[in-house]
Amino acid sequence: MEKRYFTIGMAGHIDHGKTSLTKALTNVDTDRLKEEKERQISIELGFAPLYEDEEIQISVIDVPGHERFIRQMIAGVAGIDLVVLVVAADEGVMPQTKEHLEILKFLGVKNGIVAITKIDRVDEEFIELVQDDILAELQGTVFEDAPFVLIDSLSKKGIEEIKQLIIKKLKEQEMRDAKGAFRLPIDQVFTVKGQGTVVRGTVYEGTVEEGQALKIMPKGLEVRARQIQVHHKPSQRAYAGQRAAINLSGVSKEDLERGEVLVSSEHFIVTRIIDVAIRVVEELEHLIKQRMPIKLHIGTAEVMGRIVFFDRNEIKEENGEILCQLRLEEEILTKRGDRFILRRPSPTETIGGGWVIDPRGNKYRFGEQTIGELEKKKVGTPKERITAALLEAKSLSLPELIKRTALDEETLSEHLQDDEFVLFNGKEYTLQQLIQSIEEDIYDKLQDYHHINPMKQGVNKAEILQSMQKKFSKSLLDYVVENAISKKVFNRREQFVSLAEFSPHVPKNWAKRTENLLAELKKDELKVRYLKDYLSDAGIPDSLEGDLRRFLEDQELIVLLDDQFTYHGDVFKEAVHKLQNATGPEFEVGEAKEVLDLSRKYMIPFLEKLDAKGFTKRVENKRVWKNK
């Protein structure tokens, strides 16, 4: 079973015990800043490892509860898979508890547990009142059936119970898309002495590898993942659902800020106008008016903009989903389906949230016609639905596409004729753009490999496929490689794949010495010295010996008799030809020694090499020519 990675969040009112609960669960104090210690409140996001086994890894984010730090709170919960709603027994549901509930609803977080903390401060009767208060508040929300756990973080009462409940719930939950293009919204930027710039965040989707080329969007800065850490431990990769810190080369701390996004693909869209579907909070304190300023929280970004309606000029109260548009003052990176929160800048309050229908919004006329067009976009055209499904899953069969897109077989089959969609294996569909992207990725890998290993024929095909199977199915990767071979972009010799234009060669700085080695071998004909002596005389280091021997043998420039003796390729061919002409259909060792004038130390390995190469076959004390 493929390992799955999840991040959970602690949410709730200030001083209700989120950080204490996190510490009790993980033995990590997530308040790291001096100001946090002094004021005993969380200001920045805290994070810690909670649990790991062969099947699952779980991290915790402790998000600030104070209303002044709501941006950090939104940045934290935007990437979580399960929320623990923390309510103190001695205070019950408070304003921030309600606001956090609204935010969680708008962000689509559906998996939750309610932790009633500080139970040591009240009696049992009061705890029952608090539970009733919470149940009333949760009515009609996705958390109305969430389980309750009574917690005393100091005595550890309820800690093991809630920990096992978290593990159980997440083992039943699907993991984020680990096969999509990598995306990490940055929530922290800092420097480490001697290492340079580090960004931290939750991996929304995809996988990142150490050494991988990436981009900071929307600025388009090109960087490389120098090192990756997960929970302060070095890691070769980070997966969707994990909290990760990535040491970047090619950029300084001053170039970056929270809200930017680290990505591996050009497929994400940078935009200032987005078509959206929103809902507003149930109890609006002030009207939401046409074109009024709003503050958009999406991923970890916070951007000012204006809300534009096409079928009304104001909203007085909550009345279902509203199709509208956000026009922003700064560019953001987003895609269809991304969730967001809307806040009023002044007076400050959460007013609603929703999801992105189309990141490529345009300016439209006011009226029902525009609403009709947005309704169609919301549902998505058949082509858009197919494309979205294939971008997420990478490859799907027709039955799987029917299930994912909710389109009938006739409609699907009609649209799958489009050149953007490719059928392979006779049963699976993918996107032309994905094939191109995978081919370019393999091309880059081969180019790097040839640069480092110029004497090797190429990379073992299975090795290439294995390195990319976290993102793509083996059948899709196999198709891309075979397709590129048929187009003469790649070349294959036995199991090895190379670039079509590549030919194995000795590195320029060792070419002359290799020529000298071959010249000495040829000069000594059949009575050669140990190969080690020739290598040493030519000044070829031990580190190069293995690759050079394999290259020269592949090119038939030498013939390795055994571990000690090697003949020049031409000398070996001439010796075989001479022996064939001087003997009959079969011959004995003595005859061969006489023809070639060789001692036993050369003769035996020479004859064994004839057998190995298929020139002869040993029958008792004789050799029989196979092609004479």
Side-chain angles (χ1 to χ4, degrees):
M1 182 184 289
E2 188 176 339
K3 192 162 183 173
R4 297 180 298 148
Y5 304 91
F6 296 100
T7 298
I8 73 165
M10 300 285 177
H13 194 76
I14 183 173
D15 200 30
H16 273 210
K18 296 186 298 298
T19 303
S20 298
L21 175 54
T22 302
K23 187 174 182 180
L25 279 166
T26 66
N27 294 317
V28 175
D29 185 356
T30 56
D31 280 350
R32 307 174 313 282
L33 304 179
K34 181 182 177 185
E35 189 181 356
E36 290 177 319
K37 298 288 189 188
E38 289 173 352
R39 296 170 60 187
Q40 295 190 324
I41 61 171
S42 297
I43 297 172
E44 285 291 348
L45 299 172
F47 63 96
L50 172 68
Y51 177 80
E52 183 170 12
D53 60 22
E54 291 180 358
E55 184 182 339
I56 195 170
Q57 182 192 76
I58 306 171
S59 308
V60 182
I61 294 182
D62 174 20
V63 299
H66 195 285
E67 63 91 14
R68 282 177 52 206
F69 309 123
I70 201 79
R71 175 185 177 182
Q72 288 91 320
M73 183 267 168
I74 293 169
V77 298
I80 68 173
D81 303 290
L82 176 148
V83 66
V84 177
L85 185 67
V86 180
V87 183
D90 58 344
E91 288 193 329
V93 175
M94 297 291 282
Q96 241 63 60
T97 317
K98 295 180 180 180
E99 185 168 22
H100 284 200
L101 268 172
E102 293 277 15
I103 288 168
L104 292 164
K105 176 181 75 176
F106 294 136
L107 291 175
V109 180
K110 296 177 181 176
N111 206 353
I113 297 169
V114 179
I116 301 179
T117 58
K118 305 187 181 184
I119 59 170
D120 57 313
R121 299 188 182 185
V122 297
D123 57 33
E124 285 187 21
E125 191 175 331
F126 197 84
I127 291 172
E128 288 180 15
L129 291 172
V130 170
Q131 282 183 290
D132 290 341
D133 185 24
I134 297 168
L135 279 170
E137 199 62 47
L138 294 180
Q139 279 298 314
T141 76
V142 292
F143 300 110
E144 63 182 353
D145 296 321
F148 282 62
V149 183
L150 302 180
I151 302 287
D152 177 10
S153 296
L154 293 177
S155 69
K156 299 289 184 80
K157 182 179 179 181
I159 295 300
E160 189 58 30
E161 181 186 347
I162 195 170
K163 184 174 182 178
Q164 291 306 317
L165 189 55
I166 290 166
I167 294 166
K168 180 178 181 293
K169 275 181 159 283
L170 288 176
K171 284 197 172 183
E172 294 168 354
Q173 185 167 315
E174 285 296 312
M175 185 181 124
R176 292 165 184 268
D177 180 18
K179 294 184 178 179
F182 170 73
R183 176 165 58 144
L184 180 145
I186 297 167
D187 58 47
Q188 291 173 354
V189 183
F190 53 95
T191 55
V192 175
K193 192 173 181 181
Q195 298 295 321
T197 306
V198 178
V199 298
R200 183 184 282 139
T202 302
V203 182
Y204 270 32
E205 56 195 319
T207 305
V208 63
E209 297 184 0
E210 202 170 81
Q212 188 173 347
L214 302 167
K215 276 194 172 183
I216 301 286
M217 300 300 284
K219 289 176 181 170
L221 300 174
E222 295 185 357
V223 296
R224 192 170 290 275
R226 182 187 289 157
Q227 291 176 318
I228 299 170
Q229 282 197 354
V230 176
H231 299 315
H232 302 291
K233 293 180 182 177
S235 179
Q236 291 291 313
R237 296 179 183 85
Y239 300 94
Q242 284 187 315
R243 289 286 299 170
I246 303 177
N247 178 208
L248 300 177
S249 61
V251 70
S252 68
K253 178 179 179 290
E254 290 68 35
D255 294 328
L256 306 179
E257 58 186 318
R258 174 187 289 161
E260 293 173 329
V261 189
L262 189 61
V263 298
S264 64
S265 169
E266 301 286 345
H267 297 150
F268 293 109
I269 295 162
V270 171
T271 180
R272 286 192 184 192
I273 302 177
I274 55 175
D275 297 336
V276 297
I278 68 165
R279 290 181 181 272
V280 300
V281 297
E282 290 184 11
E283 297 175 13
L284 276 173
E285 289 190 30
H286 306 87
L287 291 177
I288 300 174
K289 295 183 177 180
Q290 175 74 292
R291 297 184 181 274
M292 77 172 224
I294 50 92
K295 192 178 284 185
L296 169 72
H297 294 267
I298 187 163
T300 57
E302 180 187 73
V303 181
M304 291 297 297
R306 292 186 180 274
I307 190 165
V308 178
F309 300 116
F310 301 105
D311 60 348
R312 68 197 72 201
N313 286 309
E314 61 182 33
I315 302 173
K316 296 178 182 178
E317 59 186 3
E318 191 272 331
N319 60 351
E321 196 169 58
I322 300 160
L323 303 182
C324 55
Q325 190 175 79
L326 302 178
R327 296 182 186 172
L328 308 173
E329 294 179 7
E330 301 171 48
E331 289 185 322
I332 60 166
L333 178 141
T334 188
K335 72 175 190 178
R336 179 181 167 89
D338 280 357
R339 295 272 182 168
F340 60 82
I341 300 296
L342 293 178
R343 303 198 85 220
R344 187 192 303 273
S346 180
T348 303
E349 63 173 337
T350 299
I351 58 172
W355 61 281
V356 177
I357 295 173
D358 186 355
R360 303 181 190 86
N362 285 308
K363 294 187 177 179
Y364 314 123
R365 290 177 180 272
F366 187 93
E368 287 302 318
Q369 185 177 345
T370 293
I371 293 297
E373 291 300 317
L374 290 177
E375 284 283 2
K376 288 179 188 174
K377 275 193 183 185
K378 179 186 164 186
V379 174
T381 66
K383 186 175 176 181
E384 285 169 344
R385 289 199 225 171
I386 298 167
T387 301
L390 290 174
L391 276 173
E392 185 178 347
K394 310 308 175 230
S395 59
L396 292 167
S397 65
L398 190 61
E400 289 169 333
L401 275 167
I402 291 171
K403 185 177 176 182
R404 290 228 185 187
T405 62
L407 295 169
D408 61 76
E409 186 172 345
E410 186 178 343
T411 303
L412 261 174
S413 298
E414 179 187 337
H415 284 88
L416 286 169
Q417 300 302 314
D418 194 293
D419 289 343
E420 289 183 33
F421 308 117
V422 177
L423 176 67
F424 66 99
N425 279 357
K427 61 181 181 180
E428 289 182 275
Y429 289 90
T430 190
L431 293 167
Q432 187 65 53
Q433 71 184 73
L434 281 176
I435 291 173
Q436 186 64 34
S437 176
I438 296 168
E439 185 181 300
E440 288 172 4
D441 196 7
I442 296 173
Y443 190 99
D444 291 342
K445 287 179 186 292
L446 290 174
Q447 198 168 50
D448 290 344
Y449 186 86
H450 293 330
H451 180 72
I452 297 166
N453 305 284
M455 290 186 286
K456 292 184 178 178
Q457 294 175 27
V459 187
N460 191 307
K461 181 183 172 184
E463 192 179 320
I464 297 176
L465 301 194
Q466 188 176 14
S467 72
M468 300 178 75
Q469 272 177 241
K470 285 283 184 186
K471 294 182 181 179
F472 308 101
S473 68
K474 184 179 182 299
S475 60
L476 176 56
L477 291 169
D478 195 60
Y479 170 77
V480 173
V481 171
E482 294 302 320
N483 186 54
I485 289 169
S486 69
K487 294 190 300 180
K488 300 196 181 329
V489 176
F490 302 156
N491 187 36
R492 181 180 54 216
R493 182 178 169 188
E494 296 173 347
Q495 75 269 37
F496 298 104
V497 177
S498 65
L499 296 179
E501 67 267 23
F502 172 76
S503 296
H505 59 278
V506 176
K508 197 172 180 180
N509 51 333
W510 299 107
K512 188 63 182 173
R513 297 187 188 196
T514 303
E515 287 176 21
N516 294 340
L517 180 149
L518 291 170
E520 286 298 309
L521 267 179
K522 193 166 189 177
K523 186 180 75 174
D524 290 346
E525 297 185 331
L526 295 175
K527 295 176 181 177
V528 292
R529 295 173 287 142
Y530 292 147
L531 178 58
K532 279 277 186 189
D533 295 338
Y534 291 99
L535 290 164
S536 178
D537 290 350
I540 292 170
D542 292 345
S543 60
L544 202 66
E545 180 186 332
D547 284 352
L548 182 62
R549 282 172 59 174
R550 279 188 291 274
F551 167 76
L552 294 175
E553 190 172 28
D554 285 343
Q555 301 298 312
E556 298 183 350
L557 293 169
I558 62 170
V559 176
L560 299 170
L561 296 188
D562 54 23
D563 290 340
Q564 294 179 316
F565 298 117
T566 297
Y567 283 163
H568 190 285
D570 293 345
V571 171
F572 180 80
K573 288 175 191 171
E574 288 169 12
V576 173
H577 187 66
K578 184 176 180 181
L579 188 59
Q580 280 181 319
N581 288 340
T583 57
E586 57 184 36
F587 62 93
E588 294 184 350
V589 175
E591 286 180 77
K593 285 174 69 176
E594 196 172 317
V595 172
L596 298 177
D597 188 25
L598 286 177
S599 65
R600 187 175 183 81
K601 76 173 182 178
Y602 294 116
M603 196 71 256
I604 298 305
F606 178 82
L607 293 177
E608 287 175 350
K609 183 56 71 172
L610 289 185
D611 296 341
K613 283 187 166 288
F615 289 109
T616 57
K617 181 182 179 183
R618 183 174 178 176
V619 180
E620 296 178 348
N621 293 326
K622 295 181 179 180
R623 287 307 192 289
V624 177
W625 292 106
K626 284 189 175 182
N627 298 312
K628 187 172 180 181

